[in-house]
Each structure stands twice: as structure tokens, then as C-alpha cells.
Amino acid sequence: MSSLAGKTLFITGASRGIGLAIALRAARDGANVAIAAKSSVPNPKLPGTIHSAAEAVNAAGGQGLALKCDIREEDQVQAAVAATVDTFGGIDILVNNASAIWLRGALDTPMKRFDLMQQVNARGSFLCAQACLPHLLQAPNPHILTLAPPPSLDPKWWAPHTGYTLAKMGMSLVTLGLAGEFGPRGVAVNALWPRTLIATDALNMIPGVDLRNARRPEIIADAAHAVLTRPAAGFSGQFLIDDEVLAQAGITDLSGYAVDPAAPLLPDLFLD
């Protein structure tokens, strides 16, 4: 694989979990990483802040920039992007990782929760792309990578949690649209999704989920690295799955990513 040395990544929701894992993988190459997230003070339920993440990026060999940013707020996103460009001179990569989840049916989904998911997931991804694209279009190998599943109209994915599926598929459709608009202009706009559950603190808060049946976030980080180091030209509109990306990179033994190698892995949502 090539390296992300000297590249500047703007990663949403990177204070913990998958976003932080992607940040640290890039940092080991010597990348600059803007940590754009709301978590500026410690939360007893969800460890990690933008400051601890930036420190971890620095310790891993990169340059971290802690940015308190609610991606629902246009002015905050614009300010965070401007601060990133002021600090590092540009933006090469946007990773739309931030996402809100609520796995309940229609009668058990408060509209406040419904609105949060739509604002963070689809709208937030669109807003961050809109803010970053003027800079990405000037980058030598620009990428937008969104953590979103392949689009599906299968009712089995919609019936249990219409609000969440709508929000998550919204991210997929934003990817599709931006790929069509900016792929011809040299920006790689793609989505990445895990084959199995991924062990994150947010997932751990969902009742009934056993993290022993999951893989560690590092599998997404390594797959993202393989995607983001590819030439951007002609590589757009793809809905990529982590294990397939790694197989193409020559990595087929995935046992090291398992939380518990003896436990069966559970498939993630939206994949048949």
C-alpha cells in the first residue's frame, strides 16, 4: 500500500470508535488529521474526546487538530474546515464517519430522535462534503469516504427501524449523487461498510449486543487506508465492503481483527 504521509484528513466523529481508528491508521503514516466531533469534555458513558484523540494522533506519528464541531450546524462545519485549511494548508480527504443511530420501530421513535438522525447522517455528510469540496478539488488525489451501506430497498431493512434506515441510506444516496457530480472532476467519492458488527462504545450501549461477536474497529481503519491510498481518478461511486477491500489488498486472514476469535461473528445491518 501507498502512504498517507503529509496528507490532511478531515474526519467527523473521530473522538472514538471507527473514526478514531481511521485517524490513528493515517497518523502512523505521518498524516495530518482534523478531529471534528462534539465531544470536547469527557462523557462517563462514552470515553474519548477531541483532545484525547488529537493527542493519540500525535503520539502515533501524525499531527492532530482538535475541532469541536456539531455537523448539524453549518457555521461550525465551515469554521472547522477553515481552521483545518489554516493549520495544514488544505484538505486531501474527507471521511464522513459521524452517525446517529436509533434501532426502534415507528411507534417507538420520538421525532426528536428521528430529526437527529436525518440531520447528522445524510444532511451532515452533505454539509461536510459541501464545505470540503472547494479544497478537495485543489488536492492532487482527493477522496471522500463515507461510512454507509450499499443502497437497498428491501423492506426487511426498513420495517424494523424506518427512521435509522432512511438516515443511513440517505448517506448512501448522498455518496451516489456526489460521485456522479464530482467523480468526473477527479474526486473519488465512495462508501465503506463492515461485513460484521464492529465493537464500538456506541454499539455497546445497544441492549442485547455482545461485542464478542464483533470485529475491532481496526479492520475498518485498514480497509479505509487501502481505499484512501488508491488513485482517485476513475474511482468513484463504489459501495465497498471491508473484507473485500482487504482481500484486494492481499489481506485474507482476518482472525486478528476478531474481539473473541472463538465467538461467531454477527453480520452487520443492510448486507445479505
Side-chain angles (χ1 to χ4, degrees):
M1 296 184 191
S2 301
S3 172
L4 293 175
K7 298 291 185 181
T8 295
L9 291 77
F10 187 96
I11 307 178
T12 65
S15 58
R16 61 178 69 92
I18 291 171
L20 178 58
I22 293 172
L24 294 178
R25 179 64 187 87
R28 293 206 301 273
D29 281 358
N32 309 313
V33 185
I35 308 289
K38 293 191 301 178
S39 306
S40 60
V41 294
N43 182 329
K45 293 182 179 179
L46 291 170
T49 68
I50 54 173
H51 305 294
S52 62
E55 290 170 1
V57 164
N58 293 338
Q63 293 188 71
L65 178 64
L67 297 168
K68 181 173 171 53
C69 178
D70 183 341
I71 64 168
R72 295 174 294 177
E73 303 295 336
E74 182 177 1
D75 58 342
Q76 293 187 29
V77 171
Q78 295 288 359
V81 168
T84 302
V85 174
D86 287 346
T87 302
F88 299 123
I91 296 176
D92 299 283
I93 293 165
L94 165 64
V95 178
N96 283 315
N97 165 72
S99 186
I101 184 170
W102 182 258
L103 298 178
R104 303 285 182 87
L107 298 180
D108 296 314
T109 300
M111 288 311 299
K112 182 177 181 180
R113 182 67 63 168
F114 180 94
D115 291 343
L116 172 69
M117 289 190 290
Q118 311 313 316
Q119 291 164 0
V120 170
N121 296 10
R123 184 181 182 277
S125 296
F126 182 89
L127 172 57
C128 289
Q130 186 183 70
C132 288
L133 272 162
H135 309 287
L136 293 170
L137 287 166
Q138 299 177 40
N141 195 53
H143 282 261
I144 296 175
L145 185 63
T146 298
L147 276 293
S152 173
L153 294 178
D154 191 329
K156 74 178 181 182
W157 299 125
W158 291 82
H161 34 68
T162 298
Y164 176 64
T165 302
L166 180 65
K168 208 65 197 177
M169 292 295 169
M171 296 174 75
S172 306
L173 297 180
V174 166
T175 299
L176 205 58
L178 295 179
E181 185 176 2
F182 293 98
R185 298 179 65 180
V187 183
V189 185
N190 299 292
L192 178 64
W193 195 245
R195 178 78 63 190
T196 71
L197 293 181
I198 301 297
T200 63
D201 292 306
L203 184 68
N204 199 31
M205 295 178 68
I206 299 175
V209 174
D210 190 337
L211 296 187
R212 291 177 299 176
N213 301 119
R215 285 177 171 146
R216 295 181 294 108
E218 283 73 16
I219 189 170
I220 298 291
D222 288 346
H225 185 273
V227 172
L228 298 173
T229 52
R230 286 184 56 168
F235 176 47
S236 214
Q238 302 295 308
F239 290 89
L240 306 161
I241 308 302
D242 58 354
D243 59 355
E244 295 176 358
V245 170
L246 291 176
Q248 292 172 2
I251 302 170
T252 55
D253 181 3
L254 306 180
S255 59
Y257 294 113
V259 173
D260 181 354
L265 293 166
L266 289 178
D268 204 353
L269 294 172
F270 309 124
L271 295 181
D272 296 320

